[in-house]
Amino acid sequence: MTPMIETVHAARWYGQVIAVSDVSLTLGPGVTGLLGPNGAGKSTLMKLMVGQLRPSRGEVKVLGESVWSHREVLRRVGYCPEHDGTYEKLTALEMVTLLGRLHGLGGGEARRGAEAMLERLDLAGAMHRRLAELSKGMRQRVKLAQAMAHGPDVLFLDEPLTGCDPLARVKVLEVIRELGARGACVVVSSHVLYEIEALTSEILLIDKGQVLAEGDLYAVRELIDQHPHKVRVACDRPRELAGALLPAAHVLSIGFEEGAIAIETREPDRLYPAIPEAARALGIEIASLTSPDNNLASVFRYLTEERDKPGAAGPRRTPEKTGGAA
Amino acid sequence: MITLGQATRIYAEMSWMRLRRGKMVWLCLALLALPVVIAGVLAAAGQWGRGLFDSLLEIQFRFLIPFLPALLASSAVAEEIEERTFTFLFARPAPRPSLVLGKYLAIAVPLAAATALSVALSFAISMARFPSDASALVPHLLRAEAAALLGVLAFTALAIVIGAIFTRHPFVAVIGYLLIVEAGIGSLPILLNLIAVSWHLRNLAELPLPEIAFLTVQVPIWISALVPAVLGALCLGGAALSVKNAEYGGR
């Protein structure tokens, strides 16, 4: 099956500055989070994918076609840019309707689509007000509405939650998840890890123009085979449990915390069954077992640190995507 | 799939909605009313006839016809780039050149209509006292109207293409062009002034031309009509081409 988005050794540079470097990836239906710090190259990668920039090298294909100036492809694409610029003199409804018409929708159809999407994003009461009068969060939702009102198959959302209050965030996340569940390919960029975490486990980690890792959060976790995986076990007799686990070859170290031990391993698959086994043998009661490494922050931090180490290899990738990505 | 014509119409509608809600269009209308007001004042002071009408045409052709398109059209493309709203537009299947054509229509058509009205009212006031003389001057009025329309169309296209190239300071760039080429070279008593649109507009409108000291040149009016028309079309094509191939999303 043709991937919905495919980049092959795509690179983009501005003079001496490399914004995106040798990115090869494929994405299928579902929501994928594009994660990276500010200036990582997320927006440039997105502009390449939405056909606003041409790659300096390599290829960027959307729906099987090179996206630059490909009108048939653009007809099925939606894009919400990162910037705050809107048509301040137009009302929210006018902007979304006119942009819908530029997608080839008829006047009535575009207006109905715009109204429905603005209502869906809780902007029913504000759609007849000029954009200059709306708050930043409301304008952000208008931007989202213009990207989604024509029912795109591929949707690019660059920092879509910027400026949204908590209630609006919930609404926006809900709409994005729905689109992904309906089979659209949705790429959402953010530098805020928990935003992506709340949306999907399919991620692309990008920094300095390179993809550090891609895939399911757990697949990414497997990728980090040199990174000691930390497991925190809260129990009634931590020292005894530590004594039982320490001789195992897959255990690198054990630290003590109040009422708990923190175990480091490179083979979590072996460690996880070993813990309850040891506890059962010693009659130890386990209160909780958590892995702080399963959040995106730790994965991103680790990969960035690894990449920045002297003599580190290039970008690391999972061999293939899992879950929602192709 | 949306066609060039459909997209042009939508862009024109969008641009006009934004334009009429801004202040600039009202400023331009006020400036176009100026010759009519001056006509009224001078007529009240006892000036009449072709002399008055030609003085008013001087205001039109020296200042308003080159300057008003600069005010309205120089930032037509640049404002989309500066405010980064082009990102909404170029993620659509609408042909990119339609952006330029739509903006051109939204600016040039109302401006041409308002200019034509301003010239006609100036003529009416100038001739009000001796209406019997007016019929003899109708051909002059028609040539002045034709020159005014061609001037607005050509200068709007020029302002759009210059603004599309110099997106950082589009107005300054257009004013620079007007000062150097139109007001500067166009007023020189040498053959070089034939490159200036304003020279041809004056020729078409039967206004005094700068003297060519050592050469006698008679330029047929059809050539003077053709020059702004062709130049305007070339500028519009150039602006459309520039937007079609441009990448504005870079750093």
Side-chain angles (χ1 to χ4, degrees):
Chain A
M1 196 177 108
T2 310
M4 295 180 91
I5 299 171
E6 183 182 19
T7 70
V8 183
H9 300 297
R12 172 72 199 201
W13 51 80
Y14 307 99
Q16 300 291 313
V17 180
I18 298 172
V20 169
S21 172
D22 195 31
V23 171
S24 296
L25 55 88
T26 58
L27 299 177
V31 181
T32 302
L34 183 58
L35 266 172
N38 286 324
K42 304 186 296 293
S43 292
T44 301
L45 183 57
M46 228 177 227
K47 283 172 190 164
L48 288 169
M49 288 173 174
V50 83
Q52 304 228 331
L53 292 175
R54 275 175 283 212
S56 306
R57 199 176 59 202
E59 265 189 309
V60 179
K61 287 185 175 179
V62 173
L63 301 167
E65 302 284 349
S66 173
V67 66
W68 170 263
S69 282
H70 199 300
R71 295 173 55 206
E72 190 54 49
V73 172
L74 290 175
R75 201 172 60 80
R76 298 170 61 190
V77 166
Y79 176 47
C80 174
E82 175 193 17
H83 62 78
D84 194 30
T86 52
Y87 293 105
E88 307 257 302
K89 293 188 181 104
L90 301 183
T91 67
L93 182 61
E94 284 168 349
M95 174 170 157
V96 181
T97 303
L98 285 164
L99 292 175
R101 285 172 62 195
L102 284 173
H103 243 101
L105 303 181
E109 192 186 356
R111 190 183 165 98
R112 283 191 295 278
E115 280 172 344
M117 190 48 73
L118 289 166
E119 278 168 18
R120 184 83 185 79
L121 290 165
D122 285 344
L123 288 167
M127 67 170 77
H128 297 290
R129 283 164 60 193
R130 288 193 191 175
L131 285 150
E133 299 165 9
L134 301 185
S135 69
K136 189 177 177 183
M138 288 167 127
R139 286 203 303 269
Q140 182 66 21
R141 278 180 281 155
V142 175
K143 278 166 55 190
L144 284 164
Q146 64 77 33
M148 299 190 274
H150 57 283
D153 296 322
V154 182
L155 184 60
F156 298 97
L157 307 174
D158 201 350
E159 305 274 358
L161 297 172
T162 307
C164 290
D165 59 46
L167 283 176
R169 273 167 195 264
V170 171
K171 179 60 73 177
V172 170
L173 290 174
E174 191 184 301
V175 173
I176 295 171
R177 272 194 292 259
E178 263 180 33
L179 273 167
R182 271 191 294 174
C185 173
V186 186
V187 182
V188 183
S189 87
S190 179
H191 65 282
V192 183
L193 303 179
Y194 71 85
E195 286 180 357
I196 296 294
E197 209 164 20
L199 201 54
T200 180
S201 61
E202 288 302 315
I203 55 166
L204 272 170
L205 295 176
I206 181 170
D207 191 25
K208 295 181 182 166
Q210 295 185 319
V211 174
L212 297 174
E214 62 173 295
D216 182 89
L217 178 58
Y218 296 97
V220 171
R221 193 67 200 74
E222 283 170 20
L223 168 77
I224 314 167
D225 54 357
Q226 289 174 10
H227 176 44
H229 184 95
K230 282 181 191 162
V231 179
R232 186 178 185 276
V233 186
C235 58
D236 54 350
R237 283 145 45 211
R239 287 192 174 276
E240 283 180 47
L241 184 61
L245 292 170
L246 197 55
H250 53 81
V251 173
L252 293 175
S253 70
I254 298 182
F256 289 95
E257 298 171 7
E258 197 177 330
I261 53 173
I263 310 164
E264 281 194 341
T265 180
R266 285 207 177 94
E267 296 174 70
D269 291 346
R270 291 181 65 191
L271 177 67
Y272 280 117
I275 296 169
E277 267 175 34
R280 200 165 38 242
L282 295 168
I284 295 169
E285 195 174 322
I286 294 175
S288 69
L289 191 150
T290 54
S291 174
D293 284 343
N294 277 349
N295 65 66
L296 287 175
S298 63
V299 174
F300 182 75
R301 191 168 50 243
Y302 169 69
L303 285 168
T304 306
E305 283 166 6
E306 279 299 292
R307 200 269 323 276
D308 290 343
K309 277 181 186 169
R316 302 152 58 95
R317 299 183 191 94
T318 48
E320 60 187 43
K321 296 265 302 172
T322 57
Chain B
M1 182 66 74
I2 186 167
T3 63
L4 181 76
Q6 289 168 332
T8 299
R9 196 178 137 193
I10 297 165
Y11 277 125
E13 196 181 321
M14 196 170 175
S15 302
W16 176 242
M17 282 166 96
R18 294 170 66 198
L19 207 59
R20 69 185 161 85
R21 290 173 189 173
K23 291 175 186 147
M24 205 58 87
V25 75
W26 301 108
L27 174 68
C28 290
L29 284 177
L31 287 170
L32 280 171
L34 210 58
V36 182
V37 173
I38 293 172
V41 171
L42 292 179
Q47 290 194 37
W48 301 98
R50 178 165 179 165
L52 173 59
F53 181 55
D54 282 357
S55 304
L56 298 167
L57 286 181
E58 287 290 343
I59 299 174
Q60 294 278 5
F61 284 93
R62 277 189 192 278
F63 303 106
L64 299 181
I65 289 171
F67 183 68
L68 297 187
L71 267 183
L72 288 176
S74 59
S75 60
V77 174
E79 69 181 356
E80 302 282 356
I81 313 304
E82 282 298 296
E83 291 164 21
R84 296 200 275 174
T85 43
F86 73 90
T87 50
F88 300 118
L89 309 178
F90 295 167
R92 319 256 153 202
R96 286 186 176 198
S98 57
L99 170 67
V100 170
L101 300 177
K103 282 182 174 274
Y104 178 76
L105 287 180
I107 295 165
V109 171
L111 191 56
T115 305
L117 183 66
S118 173
V119 170
L121 287 174
S122 302
F123 180 80
I125 294 169
S126 303
M127 299 297 158
R129 192 160 175 186
F130 303 106
S132 55
D133 295 349
S135 56
L137 284 175
V138 166
H140 178 48
L141 168 68
L142 291 179
R143 282 181 64 163
E145 287 282 21
L149 290 178
L150 276 172
V152 169
L153 298 180
F155 281 120
T156 304
L158 263 162
I160 284 183
V161 74
I162 294 171
I165 295 166
F166 300 96
T167 53
R168 283 292 170 92
H169 302 288
F171 183 68
V172 174
V174 176
I175 292 297
Y177 163 82
L178 291 178
L179 290 175
I180 294 166
V181 178
E182 297 299 330
I185 295 172
S187 304
L188 291 176
I190 51 172
L191 279 176
L192 206 57
N193 59 21
L194 294 179
I195 68 164
V197 173
S198 50
W199 191 96
H200 293 282
L201 297 179
R202 294 179 72 83
N203 189 34
L204 195 57
E206 298 178 300
L207 289 173
L209 294 166
E211 282 183 18
I212 297 170
F214 54 92
L215 280 170
T216 306
V217 178
Q218 290 287 329
V219 178
I221 60 159
W222 66 269
I223 289 183
S224 281
L226 205 61
V227 168
V230 169
L231 188 72
L234 286 176
C235 287
L236 213 53
L241 203 64
S242 131
V243 167
K244 184 174 188 285
N245 295 314
E247 292 177 294
Y248 296 116
R251 292 185 168 183

